[in-house]
Amino acid sequence: MDRDEVVKEIDVFLTKSLQEKLWLMQYPVRPVECSYEDEQFITTKVKPQQKKVSIEVALDTTSNSYLSSKGEHLAMSVDGPVPKGPPTYASGKLDRIELTSLEGMPKCDRYAIASVANGQLHLTPLSAIVQMRPDLGFLDKAEESSKLRAQLLELDEESSQDEEEKKMEPITKKYEKQETAEQKSRRMQSYGYMRLELDKEDWRKCTYHKTREELSARLRRRLLADSNESVDSYCTPTDYLDLLIPKSTADIGDEPDKPSNTLSSAQLKTMSLNDQVKNIVTNAKVIKWTQLIDLLDDEVDHSLVIKALQQVAVLVQGCWVVKSDILYPKDSFSAHSASPADVISRARDYMLWKFTQTRSLIRKEVSSVVKIPPDELKEMLSHIARPRVKQGWVFNLEYDFDFVNRNKDVVQRQQMMWDAKYQQLCKHFKLTKDGKPIEMSKSRRRRNSSKSKSRSDMSDTDGEKTPTLEQTKPAFAFPNDAHIKSSPTESIVKNEGSDTDTLVRELSALLRDKLLVNSVLNMSDMRHMYQTKLAQCPPGHVLATGVSDTVLEKAILTCGAVKVHYMQSSRLRSNALKQELERCNIAIAEETVKHILKGYCVFRAGVWHLKGSIDN
């Protein structure tokens, strides 16, 4: 394979004599062959802090390209019908134009001016990069003057008519309202306040020296280094080459995705391990263990990384999320709503706790508990979750089973921390054990009790008992190829040993609540619920002994469920269900039939299918 030969080696020097004073001025709307070198500069001024430059350049009014009539019209329009003070253009023509700067690049510390002299390359870092463009503010002044002229004409017409006597108006005294700390914080963060603070900086007049002048030549000589001092380097030669020649996409295809807003490897290696972990987690907001290790040194001790992680992050679904008090330090205020940091931090802790219980959550439900501004809550959710249709906000990363299975002791400590944190949240937000507000749970209990009372009253007064929902459960599965075990308790064999009994009881408690909500569960749903619960259990728990599909089936049947062997070809129509109910002498209202079908089936192409039997 042919390799490129090294033609020449050049020494590189870094000069710092003009490091904080060197600006690069660009003229994007001016052709290269038409520079301002031969133009006359009238005034030059600068604002160093805002990095703004203003230059007035004289126009050649005797040129063939200059239209005198248009220049006179613009000059007269700028001053208006009633000039205030001396005229803006003393010559009566538009004889000059102003060039103002726009910040071309906010962060230019990575760029430098290069000079080659005596076979050496000298680099001088830039302090600012500005782009000079013509300022057409005189057109705005001309428009204002034309409006003022029209107003004066209207006033002259009104003054020619009889003026009516002005009515006397009472004068009221108004006092300025004293603003609170929150209002002051919002005012200081507003764009108008920041604009006023920036405008307080005065313009500094300076002199423009052209390229051929002696002072310019003397300053250019300062771009060359005088000494041969070595430059301090904070990275190894290998890392330096990696910065110059990044890895190709083929080399990093198998690596895990890295979070955005992280520093480069060279910058991270200048920090201590604790600072590296804190910086990465704070910028990423949520990160997996494999992503974090990929950003750190290959020889780093994993136990030290976990120790540093637990100081700045919490474990949520096997992933690490930055702590709330890191994002919202004490005695600070939110940038969005100016709310105190302790209020926002507590609300975020409740949101994170909810994500430890479920993959997705509804923003309105969280907002009803934490009671913070909707924009603030949406901003917090966007850091660690993404919105999905009919699901709410779903956690950004998948559950990290690999980390959970390898670090049982860390998971147990984090679970104890979340239990203690939840006790504090319950006291502050007045929550029940399932995480709902006490007022909401009380109102639901009242509604449920009133419904049960009305049902009992109806059963006492009716001569014939109407079949209840439990009695009509198997009614939708009457097709010939659907087989039902109508007596679930008879199919449960006696367990051998007390461990199996305990295991079944634990699983029954887990599945019972889910069954009341979903009505229909398949084996994959139960297996997923078991794995999620297992990740939250401490080491040595009874669920860690392993659960087979047979044990899961026993547990769900113990809850009172019915096992249905639903074939792929089985389907049900509403008319078939009504005919089967009439054949069994079961009288149910049509609305009740629809309610049962919607609870257990999905409607596709005019046919009802059991939930889970087709792709929903």
Side-chain angles (χ1 to χ4, degrees):
M1 181 183 296
D2 296 335
R3 299 182 63 182
D4 292 337
E5 297 182 359
V6 177
V7 179
K8 187 177 181 180
E9 292 186 359
I10 301 177
D11 294 332
V12 180
F13 295 87
L14 181 66
T15 62
K16 297 184 178 181
S17 57
L18 298 176
Q19 182 176 2
E20 301 297 332
K21 305 174 183 178
L22 188 60
W23 291 17
L24 176 63
M25 300 176 66
Q26 300 174 335
Y27 300 87
V29 298
R30 187 82 168 182
V32 178
E33 59 273 9
C34 299
S35 65
Y36 287 101
E37 185 64 25
D38 299 329
E39 302 293 341
Q40 179 184 357
F41 293 92
I42 302 175
T43 59
T44 306
K45 49 189 178 180
V46 63
K47 286 186 177 183
Q49 293 183 2
Q50 301 181 42
K51 294 182 173 56
K52 286 187 175 182
V53 182
S54 175
I55 303 175
E56 282 190 345
V57 184
L59 296 178
D60 185 7
T61 58
T62 61
S63 173
N64 295 330
S65 302
Y66 187 87
L67 186 60
S68 300
S69 59
K70 189 66 175 177
E72 294 174 358
H73 173 72
L74 288 174
M76 184 178 63
S77 300
V78 169
D79 292 329
V82 184
K84 296 180 181 179
T88 305
Y89 301 100
S91 63
K93 297 180 180 180
L94 184 68
D95 55 2
R96 63 183 182 273
I97 191 170
E98 184 179 5
L99 301 178
T100 56
S101 65
L102 294 175
E103 194 170 5
M105 189 169 296
K107 294 183 180 180
C108 57
D109 51 354
R110 298 178 57 189
Y111 296 88
I113 292 292
S115 302
V116 179
N118 300 326
Q120 298 173 342
L121 179 63
H122 300 262
L123 301 178
T124 304
L126 287 171
S127 176
I129 300 177
V130 295
Q131 294 182 349
M132 305 300 296
R133 300 172 184 267
D135 186 4
L136 305 180
F138 62 90
L139 296 178
D140 297 333
K141 293 181 180 179
E143 185 179 359
E144 292 177 1
S145 300
S146 62
K147 291 181 179 179
L148 179 61
R149 187 182 295 106
Q151 292 177 0
L152 292 176
L153 291 175
E154 292 179 0
L155 290 175
D156 292 340
E157 293 177 359
E158 292 179 0
S159 61
S160 61
Q161 301 174 359
D162 295 334
E163 297 183 355
E164 298 181 358
E165 294 184 0
K166 295 183 179 180
K167 296 182 180 180
M168 298 182 62
E169 297 180 357
I171 300 176
T172 58
K173 185 182 292 186
K174 297 182 180 180
Y175 296 93
E176 185 179 359
K177 186 183 295 184
Q178 186 176 3
E179 62 180 357
T180 62
E182 181 179 349
Q183 292 173 340
K184 183 178 180 181
S185 176
R186 291 182 179 178
R187 179 175 59 82
M188 295 179 67
Q189 293 177 2
S190 64
Y191 173 78
Y193 179 82
M194 294 181 181
R195 185 75 265 169
L196 290 175
E197 290 294 318
L198 292 176
D199 292 341
K200 288 181 180 179
E201 184 182 5
D202 297 329
W203 286 101
R204 297 184 184 180
K205 291 186 177 181
C206 51
T207 305
Y208 189 95
H209 296 272
K210 297 185 178 181
T211 306
R212 292 184 289 269
E213 295 185 16
E214 176 61 26
L215 180 60
S216 300
R218 190 164 61 249
L219 289 175
R220 282 197 299 273
R221 287 194 291 270
R222 295 179 62 181
L223 297 176
L224 305 179
D226 297 331
S227 60
N228 296 332
E229 297 179 0
S230 60
V231 180
D232 296 332
S233 177
Y234 296 100
C235 59
T236 62
T238 304
D239 296 333
Y240 181 71
L241 289 177
D242 291 339
L243 291 175
L244 291 177
I245 309 174
K247 293 182 180 180
S248 63
T249 54
D251 296 334
I252 59 176
D254 297 334
E255 297 180 1
D257 295 333
K258 297 180 181 179
S260 57
N261 302 328
T262 56
L263 297 177
S264 63
S265 300
Q267 292 174 309
L268 287 174
K269 289 181 179 179
T270 61
M271 306 178 182
S272 63
L273 179 60
N274 289 348
D275 291 339
Q276 291 183 42
V277 173
K278 181 178 180 180
N279 187 281
I280 293 173
V281 175
T282 303
N283 288 321
K285 303 298 187 298
V286 56
I287 191 171
K288 279 192 174 184
W289 171 258
T290 53
Q291 293 175 332
L292 178 63
I293 293 300
D294 182 65
L295 292 171
L296 299 176
D297 193 358
D298 296 337
E299 300 178 356
V300 68
D301 188 353
H302 288 192
S303 61
L304 296 179
V305 177
I306 291 178
K307 184 177 179 181
L309 257 179
Q310 295 182 87
Q311 296 177 4
V312 297
V314 292
L315 193 66
V316 178
Q317 299 190 23
C319 306
W320 291 96
V321 182
V322 62
K323 286 185 176 180
S324 301
D325 53 4
I326 300 293
L327 294 179
Y328 307 98
K330 190 178 180 181
D331 299 330
S332 63
F333 295 90
S334 169
H336 291 273
S337 60
S339 302
D342 55 344
V343 175
I344 303 299
S345 179
R346 196 181 298 113
R348 187 174 182 272
D349 287 340
Y350 175 76
M351 179 190 70
L352 295 180
W353 174 84
K354 290 286 289 184
F355 273 120
T356 62
Q357 308 298 311
T358 179
R359 280 288 300 171
S360 61
L361 52 83
I362 306 301
R363 181 160 60 99
K364 290 184 178 180
E365 295 180 359
V366 179
S367 180
S368 64
V369 176
V370 300
K371 292 181 174 59
I372 62 174
D375 293 340
E376 189 76 50
L377 180 58
K378 186 177 181 180
E379 177 72 15
M380 290 192 301
L381 281 168
S382 63
H383 290 160
I384 61 174
R386 57 189 183 278
R388 287 291 181 269
V389 179
K390 297 183 180 180
Q391 296 184 42
W393 288 80
V394 182
F395 197 68
N396 266 339
L397 302 179
E398 295 296 330
Y399 198 103
D400 196 348
F401 288 102
D402 183 64
F403 178 82
V404 170
N405 295 331
R406 292 174 180 267
N407 302 273
K408 297 290 186 181
D409 54 339
V410 178
V411 175
Q412 184 176 2
R413 286 196 297 270
Q414 288 291 310
Q415 183 61 42
M416 294 172 62
M417 182 277 300
W418 276 120
D419 292 341
K421 176 70 71 175
Y422 181 62
Q423 296 299 327
Q424 300 174 2
L425 295 173
C426 284
K427 291 180 181 178
H428 185 271
F429 293 120
K430 298 179 181 179
L431 305 175
T432 59
K433 292 183 179 180
D434 56 352
K436 298 178 181 178
I438 295 178
E439 293 79 3
M440 186 183 297
S441 60
K442 286 182 178 179
S443 61
R444 287 184 178 179
R445 284 200 297 269
R446 285 195 295 268
R447 288 197 299 268
N448 293 337
S449 62
S450 61
K451 289 180 181 179
S452 60
K453 184 177 179 181
S454 61
R455 284 197 297 266
S456 61
D457 294 341
M458 290 174 63
S459 62
D460 293 340
T461 54
D462 293 345
E464 271 186 25
K465 292 186 177 180
T466 304
T468 61
L469 185 60
E470 286 74 10
Q471 292 172 327
T472 60
K473 273 185 180 179
F476 68 90
F478 281 158
N480 296 330
D481 50 358
H483 309 285
I484 303 174
K485 293 183 179 180
S486 58
S487 179
T489 55
E490 295 178 1
S491 64
I492 302 176
V493 298
K494 293 184 178 180
N495 298 317
E496 297 179 359
S498 59
D499 291 343
T500 307
D501 295 338
T502 307
L503 186 60
V504 171
R505 283 197 299 271
E506 287 285 341
L507 292 172
S508 299
L510 173 66
L511 299 173
R512 185 178 294 108
D513 296 336
K514 191 70 174 180
L515 189 63
L516 293 175
V517 176
N518 286 6
S519 302
V520 178
L521 293 175
N522 54 31
M523 187 58 68
S524 61
D525 295 335
M526 293 187 290
R527 175 62 63 180
H528 178 70
M529 292 176 58
Y530 161 70
Q531 291 175 348
T532 305
K533 182 65 176 179
L534 180 61
Q536 301 172 359
C537 295
H541 195 271
V542 65
L543 294 179
T545 58
V547 173
S548 63
D549 292 349
T550 304
V551 176
L552 282 173
E553 183 178 340
K554 292 179 182 179
I556 194 69
L557 292 176
T558 306
C559 299
V562 176
K563 183 178 180 182
V564 178
H565 298 281
Y566 206 90
M567 304 300 179
Q568 196 100 33
S569 60
S570 298
R571 56 180 59 90
L572 179 67
R573 295 186 180 274
S574 302
N575 295 334
L577 176 60
K578 294 177 182 178
Q579 293 175 3
E580 193 65 31
L581 291 174
E582 292 175 358
R583 188 178 64 83
C584 297
N585 296 325
I586 300 176
I588 301 180
E590 186 174 356
E591 293 182 357
T592 306
V593 175
K594 290 183 179 180
H595 177 74
I596 295 173
L597 287 172
K598 290 181 180 180
Y600 294 90
C601 303
V602 291
F603 190 74
R604 292 289 185 273
V607 181
W608 292 94
H609 300 266
L610 184 66
K611 289 182 178 179
S613 62
I614 62 171
D615 186 8
N616 292 336

